[in-house]
């Protein structure tokens, strides 16, 4: 909070293992977005810039800060190439990582309190560029001693080509020697972007470059370039100015130190990231700020394409915006919602409008509070689940000591808080859900005096957050929520989440990815080349065009796939190529892909590649020496080591004429294909027989139609046995009835095993043969 009072100024982020392609599963899923993705403020690329703040205390820790909330552990990079700054930090899942940028880095320029802003000019590559792999939520925070405000960053996928500036006018008490203007910075997200600025403001307003109300100027920017506008003097404004570009841009507006309302102390820095006109709606819920005795001030802006816009307050006509030019009382008005005690109010119109809320200065009602501004969400953009964070990392410096959220929700029967309205905070890295009623009380809060156009009765319930961190809110019916907070002489405010669907198009058709999956898990287009995605319908007057293409990088959703796609221009690209390739074909792979257009229509597909994992165990594979013409059988085992079923389409020998054959264990032929359950083991016979002698070898192969190999070698050496009696059993002359024994030796000197199947002895006299002390039974 700045001590600005009229004229006074005072001090203030081993086995033989085969793996082959098999069983590619493709699943089409509608409306199945990851928790941080969709037509919302989550994305993986952001551009913005911090307007110059009023630097009150020399030597204080005055920084511009970037806070990032991530759903997964991943690297986050923040860079400002034009100022030689780049920093990468590892985000923790469901936590906040903070980047501190010196004000000279985060701001395109610095401005003292007494001097005017420089004339509008381009600051090359001075935009803050934030990138990640998986979707993130990003907040920008100007955190100076005794003066702060922040904004919820809009990702590149949500940027537009048409904006209206909603800054606060300059009021620093004439004659005070101070210049604290309304300001707006425009940042290009793409090269070769032409930006047209059409000046608005109040009577007599002009920019520091001399642009007067109704006049326009054109600028050519490349990605990351920033052009800055500011009004030229006290009582002037740039609100109502229109920004039109050939490619999407980011627009960040505010005031270096705003007195709200004009002349009411104390002033404070205000800032907000503007929303493109395509996202504007016709109905808004306006809620008061905690502890304030009066209603907040709002500015209502008519969509530039509509004339004589009628605005209603709680269902009754309130005012008309002629919209014949860009100035106050034509294109926009400034009003307190109601005089008297604070109340929750519905403001609606017969055409799209834009509403910015401004918290008033302390002297407005002598309540300790500071000016901030935040953009309101139209009921057409309400969401069923949001993820948000306080603008401070755990253990960070200059924390806000009190943080609040105003939840605008549809009440249940009897005007109670519905049980499906739930709130989650993070405990040990995971979200823990509880009903809002059980955690923050069953009282509904402030009821709106009339029902909304959708027939629902809404209420505003204010909760005080338990501390810094990442939070989630969800309900069965769409809702909105606004976050703000305070510390000594400091404040901030922004919507917790914004949906950025293009409401100007009646697009209700999902993008159409065209592709086919090959057996090795790779993906090609219908023509065998790159797969494509096309936004629909074919009618350009209805189609909103592509906004974001993304592979969910949660390790449970996607792994072992490399995903690439053509760079798209959000809201302009109709058709894009993409590529998907398995990184390691020996491992399973999965890819969950999302194709989303600017109206929020999404198509998601899940591609599952299950590597064919088979272990062949033999017992053993070498048959050794076998007899010609005599079959010999051994067994071998196939094991499915995968967590998925495996379909075997080929189990065969490399050369079936060698003499080896494969059969079931009962001797029947193998029936192909057959499916093995996860971890299943199956035993087979391999038999060898040959009528020839020699060395024989073959290979057992297994696989499917896509990939096949022969991992097991089988060997056999058929031959004939040759009997050699090396010594005779000679008894010589013996006495009648005497017993005697003699040794004789029989040796097999052939190339096949000798099997003695019988023998004959003389009948008289009798002979008996013993082998190792055991009598043999003759024939």
């Amino acid at each position: 909070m700045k001590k600005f009072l009229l004229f006074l100024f005072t001090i203030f982020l081993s086995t033989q293992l085969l793996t082959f392609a098999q069983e590619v599963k493709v699943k089409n899923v509608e409306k199945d977005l990851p928790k941080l993705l969709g037509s919302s403020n989550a994305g993986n690329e952001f551009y913005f810039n911090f307007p110059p703040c009023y630097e009150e205390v020399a030597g204080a820790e005055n920084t511009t800060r970037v806070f990032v909330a991530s759903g997964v552990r991943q690297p986050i990079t923040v860079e400002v190439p034009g100022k030689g700054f780049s920093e990468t930090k590892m985000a923790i899942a469901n936590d906040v990582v903070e980047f501190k940028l010196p004000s000279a880095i985060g701001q395109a320029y610095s401005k003292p309190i007494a001097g005017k802003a420089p004339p509008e000019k381009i600051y090359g590559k001075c935009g803050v560029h934030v990138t990640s792999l998986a979707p993130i939520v990003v907040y920008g925070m100007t955190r100076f001693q005794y003066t702060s405000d922040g904004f919820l960053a809009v990702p590149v996928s949500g940027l537009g080509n048409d904006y209206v500036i909603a800054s606060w006018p300059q009021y620093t008490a004439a004659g005070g020697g101070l210049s604290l203007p309304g300001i707006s910075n425009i940042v290009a997200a793409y090269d070769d972007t032409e930006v047209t600025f059409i000046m608005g403001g109040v009577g007599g307003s002009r920019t520091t470059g001399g642009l007067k109300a109704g006049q326009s100027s054109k600028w050519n920017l490349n990605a990351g370039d920033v052009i800055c506008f500011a009004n030229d003097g006290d009582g002037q404004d740039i609100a109502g100015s229109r920004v039109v570009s050939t490619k999407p841009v980011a627009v960040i507006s505010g005031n270096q130190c705003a007195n709200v309302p004009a002349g009411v102390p104390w002033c404070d820095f205000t800032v907000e990231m503007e929303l493109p006109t395509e996202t504007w709606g016709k109905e808004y819920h306006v809620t008061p700020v905690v502890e304030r005795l009066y209603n907040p001030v709002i500015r209502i802006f008519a969509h530039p394409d509509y004339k004589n816009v009628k605005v209603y307050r709680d269902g009754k006509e309130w005012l008309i915006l002629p919209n014949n030019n860009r100035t106050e009382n034509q294109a926009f008005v400034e009003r307190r919602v109601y005089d008297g005690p604070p109340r929750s109010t519905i403001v609606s119109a017969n055409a799209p409008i834009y509403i910015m809320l401004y918290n008033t200065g302390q002297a407005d009602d002598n309540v300790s509070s500071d000016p901030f501004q935040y953009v309101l969400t139209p009921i057409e953009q309400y969401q069923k689940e949001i993820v948000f964070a306080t603008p401070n990392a755990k253990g960070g410096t200059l924390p806000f000591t009190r943080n609040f959220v105003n939840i605008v929700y549809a009440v249940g029967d009897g005007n109670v808080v519905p049980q499906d309205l739930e709130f989650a905070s993070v405990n040990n890295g995971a979200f823990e859900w509880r009903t809002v009623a059980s955690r923050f009380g069953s009282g509904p809060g402030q009821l709106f005096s009339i029902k909304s156009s959708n027939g629902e009765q809404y209420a505003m319930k204010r909760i005080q957050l338990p501390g810094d961190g990442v939070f989630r809110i969800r309900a069965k019916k769409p809702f909105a929520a606004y976050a703000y907070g305070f510390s000594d002489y400091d404040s901030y405010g922004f919507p917790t989440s914004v949906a950025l669907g293009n409401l100007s198009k009646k697009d209700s058709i999902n993008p159409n990815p065209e592709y086919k999956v090959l057996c090795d898990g790779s993906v090609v287009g219908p023509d065998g080349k790159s797969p494509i995605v096309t936004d629909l319908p074919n009618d350009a007057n209805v189609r909103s065009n592509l906004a974001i293409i993304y592979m969910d990088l949660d390790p449970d959703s996607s792994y072992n796939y490399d995903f690439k796609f053509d760079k798209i221009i959000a809201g302009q690209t109709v058709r894009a190529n993409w590529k998907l390739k398995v990184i390691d074909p020996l491992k399973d792979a999965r890819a969950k892909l999302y194709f989303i257009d600017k109206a929020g229509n999404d198509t998601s597909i899940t591609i599952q590649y299950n590597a064919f994992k088979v272990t062949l165990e033999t017992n053993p594979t070498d048959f050794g020496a076998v007899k010609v013409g005599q079959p010999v059988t051994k067994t071998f085992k196939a094991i499915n080591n995968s967590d998925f079923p495996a379909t075997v389409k080929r189990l065969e020998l490399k050369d079936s004429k060698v003499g080896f054959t494969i059969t079931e264990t009962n001797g029947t032929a193998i029936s192909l294909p057959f499916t093995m359950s996860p971890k299943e083991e199956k035993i087979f016979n391999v038999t060898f027989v040959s009528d020839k002698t020699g060395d024989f070898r073959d290979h057992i192969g297994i696989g499917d139609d896509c990939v096949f190999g022969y991992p097991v070698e089988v060997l056999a050496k058929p031959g004939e046995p040759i009997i050699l009696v090396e010594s005779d059993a000679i008894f010589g002359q013996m006495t009648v009835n005497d017993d005697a024994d003699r040794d004789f030796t029989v040796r097999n000197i052939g190339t096949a095993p000798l099997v003695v199947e019988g023998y004959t002895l003389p009948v008289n006299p009798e002979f008996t043969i013993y082998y190792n002390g055991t009598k043999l039974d003759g024939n």
Side-chain angles (χ1 to χ4, degrees):
M1 179 176 70
K2 308 304 139 315
K3 300 302 187 288
F4 261 90
L5 175 58
L6 298 180
F7 304 96
L8 299 179
F9 164 61
T10 61
I11 287 269
F12 346 2
L13 160 60
S14 155
T15 61
Q16 294 145 327
L17 178 65
L18 290 180
T19 53
F20 303 117
Q22 179 194 305
E23 198 175 348
V24 178
K25 298 180 178 179
V26 182
K27 179 183 178 185
N28 288 286
V29 183
E30 302 296 339
K31 298 299 179 187
D32 181 22
L33 299 179
K35 56 182 174 285
L36 282 180
L37 189 63
S39 181
S40 72
N41 54 278
N44 50 20
E45 184 179 22
F46 297 76
Y47 276 105
F48 53 84
N49 185 262
F50 295 90
C53 182
Y54 164 43
E55 197 155 356
E56 184 174 4
V57 178
E61 188 187 6
N62 295 335
T63 55
T64 52
R65 305 184 185 189
V66 176
F67 295 95
V68 176
S70 175
V72 297
R73 177 179 171 82
Q74 62 169 324
I76 309 295
T77 298
V78 176
E79 59 180 347
V80 186
K83 299 199 174 184
F85 177 88
S86 181
E87 184 176 11
T88 298
K89 291 185 177 182
M90 186 63 66
I92 301 173
N94 299 328
D95 207 342
V96 177
V97 61
E98 177 186 43
F99 295 82
K100 289 184 179 179
L101 283 63
S103 59
I105 299 294
Q107 299 177 164
Y109 65 93
S110 296
K111 191 192 87 61
I113 60 175
K116 293 182 179 181
E120 46 266 28
K121 59 175 287 189
I122 295 175
Y123 297 84
K125 305 295 182 182
C126 286
V128 179
H129 189 208
V130 182
T131 54
S132 64
L133 299 175
I136 53 177
V137 174
V138 176
Y139 301 88
M141 173 62 63
T142 295
R143 197 70 175 97
F144 284 21
Q145 188 74 43
Y146 302 138
T147 185
S148 301
D149 197 8
F151 55 87
L152 177 65
V154 175
V156 169
S157 58
L159 299 178
N161 302 67
D162 187 18
Y163 294 85
V164 172
I165 291 172
S167 60
W168 189 257
Q170 176 176 332
Y171 182 87
T172 50
L178 306 176
S179 178
L180 300 169
I183 43 186
S184 186
N185 292 356
I186 303 166
V187 188
Y190 302 92
D191 289 341
D192 301 319
T193 300
E194 182 182 85
V195 175
T196 301
F197 183 89
I198 305 168
M199 180 60 176
V202 297
S205 291
R206 62 182 181 275
T207 67
T208 49
L211 202 64
K212 297 179 181 180
Q215 294 181 334
S216 64
S217 59
K218 293 182 183 294
W219 307 81
N220 292 311
L221 282 68
N222 288 318
D225 289 351
V226 185
I227 183 170
C228 304
F229 292 86
N231 61 256
D232 189 52
D234 205 51
Q236 296 185 24
D237 200 357
I238 58 172
S241 299
R242 188 177 186 181
V243 177
V244 180
S245 58
T246 56
K247 296 177 183 178
V249 295
V251 180
I252 307 93
S253 304
N255 188 290
Q256 198 175 21
C257 196
N259 288 103
V260 184
V264 174
W266 307 107
C267 82
D268 206 352
F269 174 76
T270 62
V271 68
E272 183 58 285
M273 195 159 183
E274 309 280 14
L275 302 184
T277 59
E278 66 190 32
T279 68
W280 295 9
K282 297 180 181 180
E283 183 175 353
Y284 295 78
H285 292 98
V286 184
T287 60
V289 176
V290 66
E291 299 173 352
R292 301 314 300 260
L293 301 182
Y294 305 126
N295 289 287
V297 173
I298 61 173
R299 282 187 158 189
I300 305 169
F301 299 82
H303 192 290
D305 295 339
Y306 295 84
K307 301 291 186 182
N308 298 316
V309 176
K310 292 183 178 181
V311 179
Y312 303 87
R313 181 176 60 180
D314 286 336
K316 297 180 180 180
E317 187 174 322
W318 189 17
L319 54 92
I320 295 177
L321 289 169
N323 213 16
N324 292 314
N325 57 57
R326 306 304 317 150
T327 62
E328 187 174 13
N329 297 320
Q330 281 284 333
F332 69 97
V333 294
E334 178 187 317
R335 293 284 190 275
R336 199 181 287 268
V337 183
Y338 273 106
D339 293 330
R343 59 188 295 182
S344 292
T345 306
I346 295 177
V347 176
S348 58
N350 64 346
I353 57 174
Y354 184 55
I355 300 181
M356 190 72 69
L357 180 146
Y358 309 84
N359 187 43
T360 60
Q362 179 172 321
D364 184 42
D365 51 10
N366 293 319
V367 172
S368 181
S369 191
D370 290 295
F372 58 75
Q373 69 179 80
Y374 62 69
V375 64
L376 298 188
T377 299
I379 195 171
E380 296 92 330
Q381 301 277 24
Y382 280 13
Q383 299 168 280
K384 292 184 179 180
E385 183 168 352
I386 61 174
V387 181
F388 70 100
T390 53
N392 195 51
K394 291 181 180 178
T397 57
L398 295 178
F400 291 94
T401 55
R402 297 195 305 156
N403 299 279
F404 299 89
V405 173
N406 287 2
I407 306 176
V408 179
Y409 69 99
V411 298
D413 294 339
N415 292 340
V416 299
V417 179
Q419 289 300 301
D420 59 78
L421 181 61
E422 297 178 297
F423 179 91
S425 56
V426 177
N427 185 12
N428 294 325
F431 283 104
E432 290 186 348
W433 289 96
R434 287 178 57 186
T435 65
V436 169
S438 66
R439 183 158 190 168
F440 301 105
S442 58
Q446 284 189 4
L447 291 171
F448 288 83
S449 62
I450 64 171
K451 290 185 177 182
S452 292
S453 57
N454 60 8
E456 296 284 356
Q457 176 64 58
Y458 282 83
M460 182 275 289
K461 187 173 181 67
R462 182 181 296 116
I463 63 175
Q464 184 166 0
L465 296 175
D468 286 321
V470 181
F471 305 95
R472 295 173 73 179
I473 306 174
R474 67 186 180 190
K476 291 183 179 179
K477 294 181 179 180
F479 64 92
Y482 304 96
Y484 54 94
F486 308 95
S487 58
D488 290 341
Y489 305 110
D490 285 316
S491 63
Y492 75 90
F494 41 68
T496 56
S497 178
V498 292
L500 298 164
N502 186 343
L503 299 181
S504 67
K505 299 289 182 71
K506 303 301 181 182
D507 185 354
S508 60
I509 302 179
N510 300 331
N512 179 36
E514 297 178 66
Y515 62 97
K516 59 181 179 180
V517 185
L518 303 182
C519 55
D520 62 355
S522 60
V523 183
V524 297
D527 59 357
K529 298 179 180 179
S530 295
I532 59 176
V533 58
T534 306
D535 194 31
L536 299 174
N538 293 325
D539 186 350
N541 294 318
V542 177
R543 185 183 62 242
S544 61
N545 298 329
L546 296 172
I548 188 169
I549 301 174
Y550 170 69
M551 181 169 75
D552 187 357
L553 296 183
D554 187 298
D556 292 331
S557 298
S558 302
Y559 47 85
N560 196 30
Y561 259 121
D562 180 45
F563 181 51
K564 296 180 180 179
F565 56 89
D566 292 346
K567 186 176 180 63
I568 64 174
I569 300 177
Q572 295 186 15
T573 300
V574 179
R575 179 186 176 104
N577 295 315
W578 52 280
K579 296 180 180 180
L580 191 66
K581 184 179 180 180
V582 174
I583 297 172
D584 185 350
L586 302 182
K587 299 178 181 179
D588 296 336
R590 190 171 191 260
K592 194 170 187 179
L593 309 180
Y594 299 89
F595 306 91
I596 307 169
D597 66 21
K598 283 285 283 185
N601 303 305
D602 65 90
T603 298
S604 65
I605 60 174
T606 298
I607 297 176
Q608 179 74 54
Y609 163 73
N610 300 330
F612 186 87
K613 301 175 182 177
V614 175
T615 300
L616 292 182
E617 294 183 355
T618 59
N619 186 29
T621 57
D622 190 350
F623 284 69
V626 297
K627 187 177 181 179
V628 170
Q630 181 176 315
V632 181
T633 298
K634 294 183 180 294
T635 62
F636 68 95
K637 184 188 297 183
I639 304 174
N640 179 18
N641 292 291
S642 175
D643 292 327
F644 301 94
T647 299
V648 178
K649 295 187 177 182
R650 296 174 65 187
L651 177 59
E652 60 192 52
L653 291 158
K654 190 173 185 179
D655 187 355
S656 60
K657 298 179 180 180
V658 171
F660 295 94
T661 57
I662 300 174
T663 64
E664 299 280 358
T665 54
N666 61 6
T668 61
I670 296 173
S671 179
L672 293 171
F674 61 87
T675 300
M676 298 180 68
S677 301
K679 310 303 181 184
E680 180 184 356
E681 299 181 359
K682 192 173 177 65
I683 297 176
F684 300 91
N685 285 346
V686 56
T687 300
F688 177 79
V689 62
S690 177
D691 58 0
K692 298 180 181 179
T693 62
D695 292 327
F696 292 81
R697 102 181 35 233
D698 206 340
H699 296 82
I700 301 175
I702 194 167
D704 61 12
D705 293 336
C706 184
V707 179
F708 185 83
Y710 294 95
V712 175
E713 184 180 57
V714 286
L715 305 170
K717 190 173 183 178
E720 294 287 354
I722 300 175
I723 299 175
L724 174 66
V725 179
E726 289 189 339
S727 60
D728 296 331
I730 301 174
F731 287 82
Q733 187 175 358
M734 296 179 58
T735 303
V736 175
N737 294 326
D738 282 351
D739 292 334
D741 61 75
R742 300 288 185 272
D743 291 336
F744 69 96
T745 301
V746 178
R747 185 181 299 279
N748 177 18
I749 62 173
T751 58
L754 172 63
V755 179
V756 178
E757 297 178 345
Y759 59 88
T760 58
L761 293 172
V763 176
N764 187 22
E766 294 184 354
F767 287 87
T768 303
I769 298 177
Y770 288 82
Y771 177 70
N772 288 336
T774 301
K775 181 180 178 180
L776 301 182
D777 292 334
N779 295 335

